[in-house]
Amino acid sequence: MAKAPVLTPRADDFPRWYQDLVSKAELADNGPVRGTMVIRPYGYGLWERMQQDMDLRIKEAGAQNAYFPLFIPQSYLTREAEHVEGFAPELAVVTHGGGKELEEPVVVRPTSETIINDYFAKWVQSYRDLPLLINQWANVVRWELRPRLFLRTSEFLWQEGHTAHATYEDAREYAAHIHREVYASFMENVLAMDLVLGRKTAKERFAGAINTLTLEGMMGDGKALQLGTSHELGQNFAKAFGTQYLSKEGKQEFVWQTSWGSTTRMVGALVMMHGDDNGLRVPPRLAPVQAVVLAIKGDDAVLAAVRETGDRLKAAGVRVHVDDRTDTPFGRRAVDWELKGVPVRIEIGPRDLENGTAMLVRRIPGGKEPVRLDALAGLLPGILEEDQALLLTQARARRESRTSDVTGVDEAVEATTAGGWARIPWAALGADGEAKLAEHAVTVRCLVADDGSVPDDEDAPGNVAVVARAY
């Protein structure tokens, strides 16, 4: 009788495979309140690595970290009409505190444009105070009707940037800089994610923005996932909150603003873009553990070699974990590390030691081969870089092979039903066609220029709509 697979095969049931992997790789559990999640140490370790790299990039872009309250007066959200309309269905509202009914209900932070603008209005007085570039790492709450761990939860972790500028041009360029040099650079170079960078349509843009720039990725089942957004807010919030500055010419002017964010959804994207039927595959540049050294048996000489190998690899700059838990069967430990997607396993047993070798198992391309123990430290950095590049190549090849160029709504629906994306001229689709797609649960993920760049204007000639079914 065949042994049951550890994970539901992706081809049989992709959502079940995802849930199995998140659970068995010990990334997260469901929280006690519907839609919440408990992020386990291994999953949080991935998020921490993401945070650390992103935080450096955000600071290099000139932003400083701050923190704003979790509770926001409900009246704040009503000051910008589109904003409150966009978020109203997702709000969690507190009406009682300390055993008494509150004079004014407070909203649990769904995003912070309103409360941050209230303070920007106090802090910005002169052109000398601009640009004001603020970021915060925080949790937010958006009451989710169809929760899924990491992808859609009622509470999630993120960073949100908020900026104020003297001119439209400065704000626009800053939003584009975050889009390209922070988000796209990080996701491609560290997460090995293949991305399509584009502009949201008016229907899909952030509530209260005049433009939304997005990064879209194709998951293993052909659906799309939005991985981050950068918004031009224009002067909408500035006028609602009276955020003005005295210009060099001595005139009172409203500031121009941006906001931008990325979330723990990136962990879910990592699973769905790179995972396979054996578990997660973690990009080496991201991996908290790049190599695990496993003792096959509890022989003293083997244990000494395992620990010595771990020390040599650490000295070579590799992030290493030594697994010398020989009271747990070797096969079980190997499967656990494979599920977690550690890029490299180095397995050492008595026979290996006799030969002066270790078995090198590569998670990303697959395969194993014996390697001399004294050669490992020199070989591993290059192997990790090869495997980093391979993940991006595989993700890009999947998107390109599963994207069809079409001319009409019916063809677009057919392509997405088959598990892919479609590209259709925006001039042929337009807002009417976008509404027809929505009837089939297909959305315009973004608009791109015909050369693949991000268009300056929604209706620029040559714009192409990238459409897909989405998470």
Side-chain angles (χ1 to χ4, degrees):
M1 183 175 178
K3 187 177 179 181
V6 176
L7 303 175
T8 301
R10 291 182 303 162
D12 290 354
D13 189 337
F14 193 86
R16 173 57 61 186
W17 165 83
Y18 175 81
Q19 292 170 0
D20 285 353
L21 199 162
V22 168
S23 173
K24 293 183 179 181
E26 298 180 341
L27 301 181
D29 273 334
N30 289 303
V33 175
R34 186 179 183 276
T36 62
M37 66 175 168
V38 175
I39 305 176
R40 299 187 67 176
Y42 190 69
Y44 199 82
L46 295 173
W47 175 242
E48 277 185 315
R49 293 277 306 166
M50 293 178 185
Q51 272 188 304
Q52 289 163 7
D53 194 296
M54 290 268 290
D55 196 59
L56 287 174
R57 293 170 189 266
I58 288 168
K59 286 172 178 170
E60 286 173 359
Q64 295 178 298
N65 285 338
Y67 185 79
F68 292 82
L70 174 68
F71 296 121
I72 301 172
Q74 191 173 40
S75 59
Y76 281 30
L77 269 74
T78 63
R79 296 192 201 178
E80 212 291 327
E82 286 186 27
H83 191 69
V84 69
E85 182 180 350
F87 280 100
E90 300 176 323
L91 295 180
V93 183
V94 179
T95 59
H96 289 72
K100 297 180 180 179
E101 185 172 356
L102 301 179
E103 290 185 13
E104 178 186 353
V106 297
V107 171
V108 184
R109 172 177 54 217
T111 181
S112 298
E113 277 77 8
T114 57
I115 193 166
I116 287 178
N117 267 279
D118 189 56
Y119 285 85
F120 275 15
K122 298 176 183 178
W123 297 345
V124 174
Q125 303 298 323
S126 161
Y127 68 90
R128 297 183 184 89
D129 300 321
L130 300 173
L132 179 56
L133 313 174
I134 295 292
N135 177 66
Q136 79 165 342
W137 292 94
N139 62 336
V140 292
V141 171
R142 299 178 185 176
W143 215 252
E144 184 57 53
L145 298 179
R146 293 181 296 278
R148 187 174 296 181
L149 291 175
F150 289 114
L151 303 179
R152 290 190 178 276
T153 49
S154 295
E155 179 193 15
F156 55 89
L157 306 180
W158 77 345
Q159 60 71 215
E160 53 176 317
H162 299 269
T163 70
H165 304 261
T167 67
Y168 163 74
E169 291 76 16
D170 191 37
R172 182 185 184 191
E173 177 52 39
Y174 195 81
H177 178 83
I178 293 293
H179 187 225
R180 293 188 312 263
E181 307 304 328
V182 175
Y183 292 161
S185 177
F186 166 71
M187 292 177 194
E188 289 182 356
N189 294 313
V190 179
L191 304 187
M193 286 185 175
D194 172 63
L195 305 166
V196 171
L197 277 64
R199 177 189 183 106
K200 287 290 189 184
T201 63
K203 179 179 181 295
E204 294 290 330
R205 75 168 66 117
F206 179 72
I210 62 171
N211 182 30
T212 290
L213 304 173
T214 185
L215 305 99
E216 303 286 332
M218 179 185 282
M219 302 298 103
D221 61 350
K223 288 185 179 179
L225 188 69
Q226 178 181 289
L227 294 166
T229 48
S230 183
H231 313 289
E232 297 173 41
L233 301 180
Q235 294 179 312
N236 291 343
F237 288 91
K239 290 177 179 177
F241 285 84
T243 312
Q244 294 180 281
Y245 71 97
L246 188 66
S247 71
K248 289 181 181 179
E249 293 72 32
K251 295 181 179 179
Q252 286 291 327
E253 305 279 0
F254 287 105
V255 298
W256 296 83
Q257 292 183 267
T258 77
S259 68
W260 26 278
S262 61
T263 78
T264 40
R265 175 178 281 196
M266 289 189 291
V267 179
L270 195 76
V271 173
M272 294 199 298
M273 186 175 287
H274 297 320
D276 63 18
D277 283 345
N278 295 317
L280 186 56
R281 296 190 300 166
V282 181
R285 293 180 189 170
L286 173 73
V289 177
Q290 295 174 312
V292 59
V293 187
L294 287 92
I296 295 177
K297 295 208 172 160
D299 179 286
D300 287 345
V302 167
L303 292 174
V306 162
R307 292 160 187 161
E308 183 182 338
T309 300
D311 289 340
R312 284 204 303 268
L313 293 177
K314 285 177 187 175
V318 178
R319 294 187 290 278
V320 180
H321 178 82
V322 171
D323 186 345
D324 53 8
R325 301 169 298 153
T326 52
D327 55 344
T328 300
F330 168 75
R332 177 178 171 181
R333 288 183 286 136
V335 168
D336 285 346
W337 289 113
E338 184 146 290
L339 278 168
K340 286 181 165 65
V342 171
V344 170
R345 294 201 313 272
I346 298 158
E347 302 171 354
I348 303 175
R351 289 183 184 176
D352 301 297
L353 206 53
E354 287 177 9
N355 297 324
T357 63
M359 188 61 70
L360 177 67
V361 184
R362 293 171 68 174
R363 178 69 184 89
I364 292 165
K368 59 174 70 176
E369 62 176 325
V371 175
R372 291 200 58 81
L373 284 168
D374 56 12
L376 277 169
L379 286 173
L380 230 55
I383 286 172
L384 293 171
E385 282 302 297
E386 284 179 17
D387 292 354
Q388 177 81 26
L390 179 61
L391 279 178
L392 179 59
T393 298
Q394 290 176 339
R396 185 159 294 155
R398 177 174 59 239
R399 175 181 58 83
E400 290 176 347
S401 68
R402 295 170 72 171
T403 300
S404 305
D405 286 305
V406 303
T407 57
V409 169
D410 291 343
E411 288 179 280
V413 171
E414 183 180 350
T416 60
T417 301
W421 291 7
R423 289 164 39 97
I424 181 171
W426 177 241
L429 184 67
D432 290 343
E434 186 176 17
K436 290 178 183 177
L437 286 174
E439 294 173 5
H440 300 275
V442 178
T443 57
V444 177
R445 304 314 304 159
C446 62
L447 301 174
V448 297
D450 53 9
D451 62 359
S453 63
V454 180
D456 292 330
D457 181 75
E458 180 173 321
D459 295 314
N463 279 357
V464 176
V466 177
V467 306
R469 298 179 188 277
Y471 283 97

PDB file of all heavy atoms in Angstrom, residues 315-331:
ATOM      1  N   ALA A 315      31.537  30.450  10.068  1.00  0.00           N
ATOM      2  CA  ALA A 315      32.706  31.304   9.831  1.00  0.00           C
ATOM      3  C   ALA A 315      32.780  31.766   8.384  1.00  0.00           C
ATOM      4  O   ALA A 315      33.340  32.822   8.086  1.00  0.00           O
ATOM      5  CB  ALA A 315      33.978  30.557  10.218  1.00  0.00           C
ATOM      6  N   ALA A 316      32.189  30.974   7.475  1.00  0.00           N
ATOM      7  CA  ALA A 316      32.164  31.343   6.057  1.00  0.00           C
ATOM      8  C   ALA A 316      30.996  32.267   5.722  1.00  0.00           C
ATOM      9  O   ALA A 316      30.798  32.621   4.553  1.00  0.00           O
ATOM     10  CB  ALA A 316      32.095  30.086   5.197  1.00  0.00           C
ATOM     11  N   GLY A 317      30.205  32.640   6.741  1.00  0.00           N
ATOM     12  CA  GLY A 317      29.101  33.574   6.529  1.00  0.00           C
ATOM     13  C   GLY A 317      27.775  32.938   6.198  1.00  0.00           C
ATOM     14  O   GLY A 317      26.833  33.636   5.797  1.00  0.00           O
ATOM     15  N   VAL A 318      27.671  31.620   6.359  1.00  0.00           N
ATOM     16  CA  VAL A 318      26.413  30.918   6.082  1.00  0.00           C
ATOM     17  C   VAL A 318      25.594  30.854   7.369  1.00  0.00           C
ATOM     18  O   VAL A 318      26.133  30.577   8.442  1.00  0.00           O
ATOM     19  CB  VAL A 318      26.698  29.489   5.555  1.00  0.00           C
ATOM     20  CG1 VAL A 318      25.384  28.735   5.309  1.00  0.00           C
ATOM     21  CG2 VAL A 318      27.535  29.545   4.282  1.00  0.00           C
ATOM     22  N   ARG A 319      24.285  31.099   7.262  1.00  0.00           N
ATOM     23  CA  ARG A 319      23.398  30.969   8.415  1.00  0.00           C
ATOM     24  C   ARG A 319      23.057  29.485   8.608  1.00  0.00           C
ATOM     25  O   ARG A 319      22.392  28.886   7.760  1.00  0.00           O
ATOM     26  CB  ARG A 319      22.128  31.809   8.218  1.00  0.00           C
ATOM     27  CG  ARG A 319      22.430  33.312   8.181  1.00  0.00           C
ATOM     28  CD  ARG A 319      21.162  34.147   8.160  1.00  0.00           C
ATOM     29  NE  ARG A 319      20.431  34.053   6.913  1.00  0.00           N
ATOM     30  CZ  ARG A 319      20.696  34.746   5.807  1.00  0.00           C
ATOM     31  NH1 ARG A 319      21.720  35.597   5.791  1.00  0.00           N
ATOM     32  NH2 ARG A 319      19.949  34.608   4.714  1.00  0.00           N
ATOM     33  N   VAL A 320      23.534  28.922   9.701  1.00  0.00           N
ATOM     34  CA  VAL A 320      23.535  27.477   9.884  1.00  0.00           C
ATOM     35  C   VAL A 320      22.764  27.086  11.136  1.00  0.00           C
ATOM     36  O   VAL A 320      22.796  27.791  12.144  1.00  0.00           O
ATOM     37  CB  VAL A 320      24.986  26.957  10.005  1.00  0.00           C
ATOM     38  CG1 VAL A 320      25.003  25.444  10.204  1.00  0.00           C
ATOM     39  CG2 VAL A 320      25.794  27.318   8.778  1.00  0.00           C
ATOM     40  N   HIS A 321      22.091  25.934  11.050  1.00  0.00           N
ATOM     41  CA  HIS A 321      21.522  25.294  12.239  1.00  0.00           C
ATOM     42  C   HIS A 321      22.075  23.877  12.314  1.00  0.00           C
ATOM     43  O   HIS A 321      22.069  23.145  11.311  1.00  0.00           O
ATOM     44  CB  HIS A 321      20.001  25.246  12.162  1.00  0.00           C
ATOM     45  CG  HIS A 321      19.368  24.553  13.320  1.00  0.00           C
ATOM     46  ND1 HIS A 321      19.142  25.183  14.529  1.00  0.00           N
ATOM     47  CD2 HIS A 321      18.932  23.265  13.476  1.00  0.00           C
ATOM     48  CE1 HIS A 321      18.589  24.332  15.369  1.00  0.00           C
ATOM     49  NE2 HIS A 321      18.437  23.163  14.755  1.00  0.00           N
ATOM     50  N   VAL A 322      22.565  23.480  13.477  1.00  0.00           N
ATOM     51  CA  VAL A 322      23.068  22.126  13.695  1.00  0.00           C
ATOM     52  C   VAL A 322      21.960  21.306  14.330  1.00  0.00           C
ATOM     53  O   VAL A 322      21.466  21.634  15.412  1.00  0.00           O
ATOM     54  CB  VAL A 322      24.323  22.144  14.589  1.00  0.00           C
ATOM     55  CG1 VAL A 322      24.716  20.724  14.990  1.00  0.00           C
ATOM     56  CG2 VAL A 322      25.480  22.827  13.867  1.00  0.00           C
ATOM     57  N   ASP A 323      21.549  20.239  13.635  1.00  0.00           N
ATOM     58  CA  ASP A 323      20.501  19.349  14.135  1.00  0.00           C
ATOM     59  C   ASP A 323      21.158  18.056  14.610  1.00  0.00           C
ATOM     60  O   ASP A 323      21.436  17.147  13.814  1.00  0.00           O
ATOM     61  CB  ASP A 323      19.481  19.071  13.029  1.00  0.00           C
ATOM     62  CG  ASP A 323      18.286  18.261  13.538  1.00  0.00           C
ATOM     63  OD1 ASP A 323      18.391  17.686  14.641  1.00  0.00           O
ATOM     64  OD2 ASP A 323      17.271  18.187  12.818  1.00  0.00           O
ATOM     65  N   ASP A 324      21.404  17.995  15.912  1.00  0.00           N
ATOM     66  CA  ASP A 324      22.027  16.804  16.486  1.00  0.00           C
ATOM     67  C   ASP A 324      21.049  16.052  17.394  1.00  0.00           C
ATOM     68  O   ASP A 324      21.454  15.368  18.331  1.00  0.00           O
ATOM     69  CB  ASP A 324      23.300  17.176  17.251  1.00  0.00           C
ATOM     70  CG  ASP A 324      23.067  18.265  18.295  1.00  0.00           C
ATOM     71  OD1 ASP A 324      21.890  18.633  18.526  1.00  0.00           O
ATOM     72  OD2 ASP A 324      24.060  18.761  18.863  1.00  0.00           O
ATOM     73  N   ARG A 325      19.750  16.170  17.076  1.00  0.00           N
ATOM     74  CA  ARG A 325      18.708  15.524  17.894  1.00  0.00           C
ATOM     75  C   ARG A 325      18.576  14.055  17.502  1.00  0.00           C
ATOM     76  O   ARG A 325      17.581  13.637  16.920  1.00  0.00           O
ATOM     77  CB  ARG A 325      17.375  16.238  17.699  1.00  0.00           C
ATOM     78  CG  ARG A 325      17.359  17.715  18.067  1.00  0.00           C
ATOM     79  CD  ARG A 325      16.075  18.371  17.579  1.00  0.00           C
ATOM     80  NE  ARG A 325      15.955  18.311  16.117  1.00  0.00           N
ATOM     81  CZ  ARG A 325      14.812  18.310  15.452  1.00  0.00           C
ATOM     82  NH1 ARG A 325      13.662  18.350  16.100  1.00  0.00           N
ATOM     83  NH2 ARG A 325      14.794  18.254  14.121  1.00  0.00           N
ATOM     84  N   THR A 326      19.557  13.262  17.832  1.00  0.00           N
ATOM     85  CA  THR A 326      19.548  11.875  17.369  1.00  0.00           C
ATOM     86  C   THR A 326      18.539  11.001  18.109  1.00  0.00           C
ATOM     87  O   THR A 326      18.372   9.825  17.774  1.00  0.00           O
ATOM     88  CB  THR A 326      20.961  11.275  17.496  1.00  0.00           C
ATOM     89  OG1 THR A 326      21.455  11.490  18.825  1.00  0.00           O
ATOM     90  CG2 THR A 326      21.894  11.924  16.486  1.00  0.00           C
ATOM     91  N   ASP A 327      17.858  11.568  19.114  1.00  0.00           N
ATOM     92  CA  ASP A 327      16.769  10.817  19.744  1.00  0.00           C
ATOM     93  C   ASP A 327      15.487  10.887  18.917  1.00  0.00           C
ATOM     94  O   ASP A 327      14.509  10.204  19.207  1.00  0.00           O
ATOM     95  CB  ASP A 327      16.504  11.331  21.168  1.00  0.00           C
ATOM     96  CG  ASP A 327      16.225  12.830  21.213  1.00  0.00           C
ATOM     97  OD1 ASP A 327      16.521  13.524  20.216  1.00  0.00           O
ATOM     98  OD2 ASP A 327      15.715  13.302  22.241  1.00  0.00           O
ATOM     99  N   THR A 328      15.491  11.751  17.875  1.00  0.00           N
ATOM    100  CA  THR A 328      14.383  11.818  16.909  1.00  0.00           C
ATOM    101  C   THR A 328      14.844  11.146  15.620  1.00  0.00           C
ATOM    102  O   THR A 328      15.956  11.417  15.153  1.00  0.00           O
ATOM    103  CB  THR A 328      13.989  13.277  16.618  1.00  0.00           C
ATOM    104  OG1 THR A 328      13.580  13.906  17.833  1.00  0.00           O
ATOM    105  CG2 THR A 328      12.853  13.352  15.608  1.00  0.00           C
ATOM    106  N   PRO A 329      14.043  10.244  15.032  1.00  0.00           N
ATOM    107  CA  PRO A 329      14.482   9.533  13.827  1.00  0.00           C
ATOM    108  C   PRO A 329      14.962  10.488  12.731  1.00  0.00           C
ATOM    109  O   PRO A 329      14.362  11.541  12.493  1.00  0.00           O
ATOM    110  CB  PRO A 329      13.231   8.766  13.389  1.00  0.00           C
ATOM    111  CG  PRO A 329      12.443   8.591  14.642  1.00  0.00           C
ATOM    112  CD  PRO A 329      12.690   9.814  15.462  1.00  0.00           C
ATOM    113  N   PHE A 330      16.038  10.071  12.060  1.00  0.00           N
ATOM    114  CA  PHE A 330      16.629  10.911  11.021  1.00  0.00           C
ATOM    115  C   PHE A 330      15.628  11.219   9.913  1.00  0.00           C
ATOM    116  O   PHE A 330      15.529  12.346   9.436  1.00  0.00           O
ATOM    117  CB  PHE A 330      17.859  10.213  10.434  1.00  0.00           C
ATOM    118  CG  PHE A 330      18.359  10.873   9.185  1.00  0.00           C
ATOM    119  CD1 PHE A 330      19.048  12.072   9.245  1.00  0.00           C
ATOM    120  CD2 PHE A 330      18.114  10.301   7.938  1.00  0.00           C
ATOM    121  CE1 PHE A 330      19.494  12.694   8.087  1.00  0.00           C
ATOM    122  CE2 PHE A 330      18.557  10.915   6.785  1.00  0.00           C
ATOM    123  CZ  PHE A 330      19.252  12.111   6.855  1.00  0.00           C
ATOM    124  N   GLY A 331      14.853  10.225   9.475  1.00  0.00           N
ATOM    125  CA  GLY A 331      13.900  10.440   8.382  1.00  0.00           C
ATOM    126  C   GLY A 331      12.880  11.504   8.709  1.00  0.00           C
ATOM    127  O   GLY A 331      12.526  12.326   7.855  1.00  0.00           O
TER     128      GLY A 331
END
